[in-house]
Amino acid sequence: MIDIIMTTKIERRIKIKYRVRNRISGTTECPRMSVFRSNKQIYVQIIDDLSGKTLAAASSLGMTEKMPKKEQAAKVGELIAKKAQEAGISTVVFDRNGYLYHGRVKEVADAARNGGLKF
């Protein structure tokens, strides 16, 4: 008899997240840029894992104008790049948090690169 183990989307993402986090860690010189995507919003943090502190954060939560989610993600990417530059951060390690590098996650990364962050 063959047992088939079904995993949900969320379980799959968490499994990938832990696998990626075993290899990626943010330092003071090169912090980790973590992306969290909910159904309505997108959040980005720049984290120093050695001290356990968030150095900069941006989200689409406060945006008042109506726009598509991909445009929101691009604006958040530009905002996090600007905040990182103000905090003196130029290079980061990108943590996609188990999400596919596609759609809104890709828009955040591209906008942050265009804003001056290197990763």
Side-chain angles (χ1 to χ4, degrees):
M1 190 162 127
I2 299 174
D3 266 341
I4 298 176
I5 298 172
M6 299 289 287
T7 58
T8 64
K9 246 184 183 178
I10 295 169
E11 289 170 342
R12 185 188 128 270
R13 185 183 75 80
I14 290 171
K15 203 162 106 175
I16 293 169
K17 174 182 175 173
Y18 285 123
R19 187 172 59 227
V20 169
R21 286 287 286 124
N22 280 333
R23 286 180 257 152
I24 291 177
S25 181
T27 62
T28 308
E29 299 82 36
C30 188
R32 175 172 58 97
M33 182 171 126
S34 178
V35 176
F36 177 73
R37 174 178 67 90
S38 72
N39 286 337
K40 292 186 177 185
Q41 309 294 338
I42 191 154
Y43 308 87
V44 182
Q45 291 182 322
I46 296 181
I47 305 162
D48 178 7
D49 288 321
L50 297 178
S51 64
K53 292 188 178 175
T54 299
L55 306 173
S59 72
S60 61
L61 207 53
M63 294 185 184
T64 55
E65 67 252 17
K66 194 89 165 144
M67 65 181 85
K69 290 179 190 174
K70 278 180 128 180
E71 285 182 27
Q72 272 186 348
K75 290 223 184 235
V76 170
E78 292 168 6
L79 187 62
I80 196 69
K82 190 175 106 185
K83 286 186 177 184
Q85 296 293 332
E86 290 171 0
I89 301 165
S90 60
T91 60
V92 294
V93 177
F94 188 69
D95 178 12
R96 59 189 174 89
N97 219 355
Y99 300 110
L100 295 176
Y101 188 77
H102 180 73
R104 290 192 282 160
V105 175
K106 186 173 188 284
E107 286 293 323
V108 167
D110 290 342
R113 276 193 194 102
N114 291 339
L117 280 180
K118 294 185 190 95
F119 52 95

